[in-house]
């Protein structure tokens, strides 16, 4: 498989920051890029600077009144009238509180994901990664789940408008990719797939099995709501069987995937019990599928992940190592004890009271076992069977 991949980033995206105590903090990107640099896995010739999205591009998905409200609340001192008007748009919510420069920062996030799609579909590179992207909860007229503008949906729309591409959207964040799903729910040329913790217990409360699309788009939507405390084996069993069959069925021109890493056992905002192993294997499966069905065309975005120190940098680095065909990606298949760069640990350990991991993968065999493992696995298999019943 090709070793060519582009890493899309711009420092302006680091301004997407609600406040210092907010879970969605840009230090996640800094930690990841520093880890890749210490590994010497992020060469200058693989970096691609992005651009901000235009207002026209934002309006492909979002309503004009919503964009206007975001812009007005982005000033250093918004007028009281605009503050009161922002409540119905979710901009006074504790998850998405307005902040100075919000519109500009979110526009750079969207522009980065568009840049990644353009790089791949123009033929500049078969693969592109934009870790700043992944704001999949934003709705046409409402901010939600830490997301102001839905960069994933807008990037997909860009692929449709400019290249007429059939897009398979693969969301592996532990929270259902609701904003993207609803944006293309009746579109037969955009297939949305989401594997996540069931919405019975977790935000946003959607992503149930009957959500399969509507009208001409019926069947171009698949959800796999898994049980709380799902572990690696069950997660990967459900993911691999479903995504292989769905990709073969849909025959996409482009795979656009979102890689939230919050199904990890250490993540504070979910109830799953997976290890770093799923974040090693899932990108490898998608990489293979991209070359099998899309001539390699694959764009990946970041997403959630709220254990900044122990989980996110490793998971997102593993994604880049796979996309760029770095030798370590292959080495980790047989050497689970491969150490992290000591320079990275020495740099960041003084900044957190948590003990940083010393190795790329977790020794999950040492973790406390889940007492309902067999029951959870059986229920997940039932979910998989129902999700797959319409796909040969």
């Amino acid at each position: 498989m090709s070793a060519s991949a582009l890493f899309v980033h711009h420092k302006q995206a680091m301004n997407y920051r609600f406040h210092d105590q907010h879970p969605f903090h840009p230090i996640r990107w800094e930690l990841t890029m520093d880890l890749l640099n210490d590994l010497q896995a992020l060469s200058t010739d693989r970096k691609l600077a992005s651009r901000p999205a235009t207002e026209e591009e934002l309006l492909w998905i979002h309503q004009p009144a919503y964009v206007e409200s975001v812009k007005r609340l982005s000033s250093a001192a918004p007028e009281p009238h605009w503050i009161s008007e922002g409540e119905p748009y979710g901009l006074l919510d504790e998850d998405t509180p307005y902040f100075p420069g919000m519109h500009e920062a979110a526009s750079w996030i969207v522009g980065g994901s568009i840049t990644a799609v353009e790089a791949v579909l123009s033929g500049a590179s078969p693969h592109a990664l934009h870790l700043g992207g992944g704001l999949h909860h934003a709705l046409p007229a409402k901010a939600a789940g830490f997301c102001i503008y839905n960069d994933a949906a807008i990037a997909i729309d860009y692929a449709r408008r400019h290249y007429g591409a059939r897009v398979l959207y693969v969301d592996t964040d532990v929270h259902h990719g609701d904003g993207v799903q609803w944006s293309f729910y009746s579109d037969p040329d955009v297939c949305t797939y989401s594997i996540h913790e069931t919405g019975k217990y977790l935000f946003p409360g959607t992503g149930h099995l009957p959500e399969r699309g509507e009208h001409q788009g019926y069947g171009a939507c698949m959800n796999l709501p898994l049980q709380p405390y799902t572990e690696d084996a069950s997660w990967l069993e459900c993911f691999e069987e479903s995504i292989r069959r769905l990709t073969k069925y849909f025959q996409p021109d482009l795979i656009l995937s979102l890689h939230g890493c919050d199904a990890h056992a250490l993540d504070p905002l979910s109830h799953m019990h997976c290890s770093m192993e799923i974040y090693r294997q899932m990108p490898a499966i998608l990489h293979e599928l991209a070359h099998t069905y899309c001539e390699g065309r694959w764009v990946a975005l970041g997403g959630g992940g709220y254990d900044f120190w122990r989980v996110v940098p490793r998971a997102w680095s593993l994604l880049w190592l796979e996309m760029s065909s770095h030798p370590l990606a292959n080495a980790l298949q047989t050497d689970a004890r491969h150490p992290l760069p000591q320079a990275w640990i020495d740099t960041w350990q003084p900044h957190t009271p948590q003990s940083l991991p010393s190795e790329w993968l977790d020794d999950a065999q040492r973790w406390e076992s889940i007492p309902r493992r067999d029951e959870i696995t059986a229920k997940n298999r039932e979910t998989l069977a129902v999700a797959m019943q319409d796909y040969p």
Side-chain angles (χ1 to χ4, degrees):
M1 291 186 285
S2 172
S4 180
L6 292 173
F7 188 97
V8 178
H9 180 68
H10 197 286
K11 63 180 181 180
Q12 291 285 350
M14 304 293 285
N15 294 327
Y16 192 86
R17 181 172 182 165
F18 293 99
H19 54 74
D20 287 347
Q21 286 72 47
H22 196 281
F24 201 89
H25 198 290
I27 195 173
R28 304 178 311 150
W29 307 327
E30 185 178 358
L31 285 161
T32 303
M33 289 186 289
D34 197 43
L35 177 54
L36 290 172
N37 284 325
D38 283 345
L39 193 66
Q40 298 183 341
L42 195 56
S43 59
T44 302
D45 64 333
R46 293 290 85 202
K47 296 178 182 178
L48 178 63
S50 58
R51 63 166 176 86
T54 66
E55 187 163 333
E56 177 186 1
E57 290 165 340
L58 298 176
L59 294 175
W60 291 343
I61 295 295
H62 296 289
Q63 294 182 9
Y66 172 69
V67 173
E68 184 65 20
S69 182
V70 172
K71 290 168 66 177
R72 295 286 185 170
L73 289 175
S74 294
S75 68
E79 297 178 6
H81 165 73
W82 287 107
I83 294 176
S84 61
E85 290 289 325
E87 185 170 4
Y89 297 122
L91 297 171
L92 275 63
D93 188 275
E94 64 178 8
D95 282 354
T96 51
Y98 69 91
F99 62 91
M102 172 175 58
H103 168 75
E104 293 77 11
S107 296
W108 277 97
I109 296 285
V110 176
S113 296
I114 292 173
T115 298
V117 167
E118 172 62 23
V120 168
L121 292 182
S122 68
S125 178
H127 316 319
L129 171 62
H130 178 225
L131 286 177
L135 307 182
H136 59 163
H137 294 307
L139 301 169
K142 190 170 185 179
F146 314 153
C147 307
I148 303 297
Y149 294 143
N150 197 317
D151 66 288
I154 296 169
I156 292 169
D157 211 341
Y158 182 92
R160 295 288 305 127
R161 290 170 181 263
H162 288 266
Y163 290 93
R166 283 171 60 82
V167 181
L168 172 60
Y169 171 73
V170 180
D171 193 319
T172 62
D173 193 289
V174 80
H175 303 89
H176 175 232
D178 56 336
V180 183
Q181 172 180 294
W182 303 129
S183 293
F184 302 102
Y185 205 54
S186 59
D187 189 337
D189 293 314
V190 177
C191 183
T192 60
Y193 168 98
S194 180
I195 182 170
H196 49 268
E197 181 180 335
T198 172
K200 291 181 181 179
Y201 309 106
L202 194 68
F203 176 90
T206 53
H208 304 297
L209 284 168
E211 296 168 25
R212 306 178 73 84
E214 63 183 3
H215 308 310
Q216 290 184 325
Y218 184 82
C221 175
M222 180 187 290
N223 286 293
L224 276 175
L226 302 185
Q227 294 297 304
Y229 302 104
T230 292
E231 297 169 285
D232 291 348
S234 183
W235 179 287
L236 287 168
E237 177 186 9
C238 291
F239 176 74
E240 182 162 15
E241 181 174 342
S242 60
I243 198 59
R244 287 189 182 279
R245 287 174 61 180
L246 182 64
T247 308
K248 181 179 180 180
Y249 168 84
F250 185 68
Q251 297 286 317
D253 300 313
L254 170 70
I255 293 175
L256 189 147
S257 55
L258 187 145
H259 296 261
C261 44
D262 37 9
H264 194 279
L266 295 177
D267 194 275
L269 299 187
S270 76
H271 313 99
M272 300 309 242
H273 206 69
C274 295
S275 78
M276 202 58 60
E277 182 62 17
I278 70 168
Y279 300 113
R280 184 189 70 81
Q281 290 198 38
M282 288 192 294
I285 294 167
L286 291 174
H287 197 175
E288 177 193 336
L289 292 174
H291 282 282
T292 300
Y293 296 100
C294 309
E295 299 180 345
R297 291 183 290 269
W298 177 25
V299 171
L301 310 176
Y306 306 101
D307 190 302
F308 305 159
W309 305 98
R310 297 172 294 180
V311 176
V312 179
R314 290 189 294 162
W316 282 353
S317 294
L318 287 171
L319 171 59
W320 173 249
L321 295 179
E322 177 61 40
M323 293 191 88
S324 60
S325 297
H326 191 280
L328 182 56
N330 288 329
L332 286 169
Q333 295 182 31
T334 56
D335 182 11
R337 302 297 300 274
H338 200 92
L340 289 170
Q342 189 61 44
W344 183 82
I345 298 172
D346 292 343
T347 297
W348 291 104
Q349 186 60 76
H351 297 276
T352 174
Q354 297 174 334
S355 179
L356 294 179
S358 60
E359 297 172 348
W360 281 96
L361 302 178
D362 303 310
D363 186 0
Q365 293 183 347
R366 298 179 62 184
W367 292 359
E368 183 178 351
S369 63
I370 298 298
R372 295 175 53 249
R373 177 180 295 161
D374 292 344
E375 180 183 347
I376 291 168
T377 299
K379 287 187 175 181
N380 286 342
R381 285 176 176 164
E382 292 175 6
T383 295
L384 176 64
V386 174
M388 299 306 314
Q389 62 187 1
D390 292 338
Y391 303 93

